[in-house]
């Protein structure tokens, strides 16, 4: 497509790191490379343990396979690597007022750290059923962003977008399911012991919640409880549920689909993405289509742009 260039996308998930190269084609995007590491990279930079060093070496070996293939590389961070906070916010707040509110929240939650040690992206949320409005701040430590830049250096590409998994997955949803543009959907990002839950209505973020998942067999009950809360307080209807994430198994998907009172689909990162890759890579894509939404979504058009502070 005109004006588009190849982009490398790197998703630092909690179980491993996922890498993809997307190129423009006549209809949108084509997958030109896909891979993952066997172990995750510790973005906290908390230790020099040998397993941490090995993870970085493995990541850079993957990078060398596509170094120079794109001039831009986008990064997706796992939700557990950031601090997400929601606060009441009238619709007419200025950027300076929003900045002051976020700085205040940082000072309350991180009293021993300088507010300048963090960078934030703020997303206005659509009104709740009672008319109140909230904003959601995704707060990241600058030291982690610095580490990400260092880790990405072997690609020889400029760092473009830095997003978080749940927001990037929304882009995947919007691009791959264009027929859903004017409706409301609930999205579940399933990890090993928790689920990120969000609701999108007419392209707007309406709800976000992190909820624990102590037992994978209870996923149906947890998802249905979240849906009930959303319908009671946030939106008047939800059309379908989409599940994704490295913690999602077929048994869990089946349990959620059987328990929930709305249609349940697996969020497929590649539904509208073409590829020139071979049969082996296509088979891999079929297996991991529900894991790659945060990786693929950070290349696709943004459903919404947050306010960067």
């Amino acid at each position: 497509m005109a004006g588009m260039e190849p982009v490398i996308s790197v998703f630092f998930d909690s179980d491993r790191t996922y890498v993809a190269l997307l190129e423009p084609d006549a209809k949108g995007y084509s997958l030109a490379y896909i891979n993952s590491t066997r172990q995750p990279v510790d973005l906290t930079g908390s230790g020099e343990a040998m397993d941490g060093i090995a993870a970085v070496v493995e990541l850079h070996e993957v990078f060398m396979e596509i170094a120079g293939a794109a001039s831009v590389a986008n990064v997706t961070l796992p939700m557990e690597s950031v601090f997400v906070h929601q606060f009441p916010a009238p619709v007419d707040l200025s950027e300076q007022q929003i900045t002051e509110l976020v700085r205040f929240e940082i000072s309350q939650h991180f009293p021993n750290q300088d507010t300048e040690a963090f960078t934030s992206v703020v997303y206005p949320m659509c009104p709740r059923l009672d008319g109140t409005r909230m904003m959601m701040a995704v707060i990241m430590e600058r030291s982690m962003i610095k580490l990400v830049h260092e880790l990405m250096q072997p690609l020889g590409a400029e760092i473009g977008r830095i997003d978080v998994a749940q927001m990037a997955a929304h882009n995947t949803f919007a691009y791959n399911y264009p027929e859903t543009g004017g409706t409301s959907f609930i999205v579940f990002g399933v990890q090993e012991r928790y689920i990120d839950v969000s609701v999108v209505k007419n392209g707007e973020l309406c709800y976000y919640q992190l909820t624990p998942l102590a037992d994978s067999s209870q996923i149906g009950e947890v998802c249905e409880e979240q849906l009930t809360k959303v319908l009671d307080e946030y939106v008047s209807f939800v059309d379908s549920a989409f599940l994704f994430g490295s913690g999602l198994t077929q048994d869990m998907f089946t349990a959620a689909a059987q328990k929930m009172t709305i249609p349940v689909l697996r969020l497929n990162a590649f539904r509208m993405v073409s590829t020139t890759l071979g049969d082996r890579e296509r088979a891999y894509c079929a297996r991991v289509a529900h894991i790659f939404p945060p990786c693929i979504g950070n290349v696709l058009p943004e459903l919404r742009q947050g306010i960067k502070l």
Side-chain angles (χ1 to χ4, degrees):
M1 295 178 68
M4 291 168 46
E5 297 181 357
V7 180
I8 295 170
S9 185
V10 180
F11 173 31
F12 291 97
D13 201 1
S14 56
D15 68 324
R16 59 184 67 197
T17 301
Y18 298 92
V19 182
L21 169 64
L22 275 79
E23 298 177 342
D25 67 7
K27 294 183 179 180
Y29 293 87
S30 177
L31 182 68
Y33 177 85
I34 187 169
N35 206 344
S36 68
T37 63
R38 294 181 298 275
Q39 53 192 326
V41 173
D42 177 16
L43 291 181
T44 67
S46 59
E48 297 294 332
M50 287 307 297
D51 56 346
I53 297 172
V56 173
V57 170
E58 183 189 11
L59 176 65
H60 287 173
E61 288 174 351
V62 172
F63 283 173
M64 293 312 297
E65 295 183 6
I66 51 171
S71 60
V72 175
N74 293 348
V75 174
T76 307
L77 305 173
M79 297 303 295
E80 62 264 36
S81 71
V82 301
F83 175 65
V84 178
H85 182 70
Q86 298 176 51
F87 54 92
V91 70
D92 57 350
L93 282 179
S94 68
E95 186 170 317
Q96 180 58 39
Q97 290 172 316
I98 294 171
T99 300
E100 291 172 359
L101 281 172
V102 173
R103 285 178 176 171
F104 173 76
E105 296 297 341
I106 291 172
S107 68
Q108 295 299 300
H109 289 90
F110 303 95
N112 298 323
Q113 297 193 53
D114 186 344
T115 58
E116 293 301 318
F118 299 86
T119 182
S120 307
V121 181
V122 178
Y123 298 92
M125 305 177 77
C126 63
R128 297 169 57 163
L129 291 178
D130 63 5
T132 58
R133 283 185 174 269
M134 304 286 286
M135 286 189 174
M136 186 180 85
V138 177
I139 300 168
M140 298 167 274
E141 293 189 67
R142 293 186 186 275
S143 59
M144 181 181 63
I145 301 302
K146 181 176 181 291
L147 174 59
V148 165
H149 278 262
E150 293 171 355
L151 289 168
M152 298 286 285
Q153 283 182 357
L155 282 174
E158 178 183 353
I159 305 298
R161 284 160 30 188
I162 298 180
D163 208 343
V164 291
Q166 196 75 5
M167 298 298 105
H170 292 172
N171 302 336
T172 297
F173 156 73
Y175 180 85
N176 284 290
Y177 300 84
E179 69 274 17
T180 63
T183 46
S184 298
F185 291 84
I186 188 166
V187 182
F188 296 95
V190 183
Q191 303 301 318
E192 185 177 353
R193 298 190 180 278
Y194 68 89
I195 304 176
D196 290 287
V197 187
S198 53
V199 172
V200 177
K201 176 184 177 183
N202 299 327
E204 285 190 278
L205 177 66
C206 296
Y207 176 80
Y208 171 78
Q209 182 66 53
L210 176 69
T211 186
L213 182 64
D215 186 338
S216 62
S217 67
Q218 298 301 309
I219 187 171
E221 288 77 7
V222 171
C223 290
E224 183 63 20
E225 287 173 3
Q226 285 291 305
L227 176 62
T228 299
K229 179 179 180 180
V230 164
L231 293 173
D232 286 345
E233 302 177 28
Y234 291 85
V235 296
S236 57
F237 66 93
V238 174
D239 289 280
S240 299
F242 286 83
L243 278 68
F244 76 95
S246 57
L248 180 65
T249 65
Q250 182 59 49
D251 287 345
M252 293 170 71
F253 177 83
T254 300
Q258 290 176 343
K259 187 68 176 180
M260 296 189 72
T261 53
I262 58 175
V264 178
L265 298 91
R266 184 179 73 149
L267 182 55
N268 182 353
F270 308 110
R271 184 175 185 239
M272 302 292 286
V273 176
S274 63
T275 187
T276 56
L277 296 176
D279 291 343
R280 179 174 175 272
E281 290 86 355
R282 289 170 183 262
Y284 175 70
C285 287
R287 293 196 305 271
V288 298
H290 64 289
I291 299 177
F292 267 82
C295 185
I296 300 301
N298 204 12
V299 175
L300 302 174
E302 290 183 278
L303 184 60
R304 74 191 66 78
Q305 287 192 338
I307 303 167
K308 295 178 174 61
L309 304 179

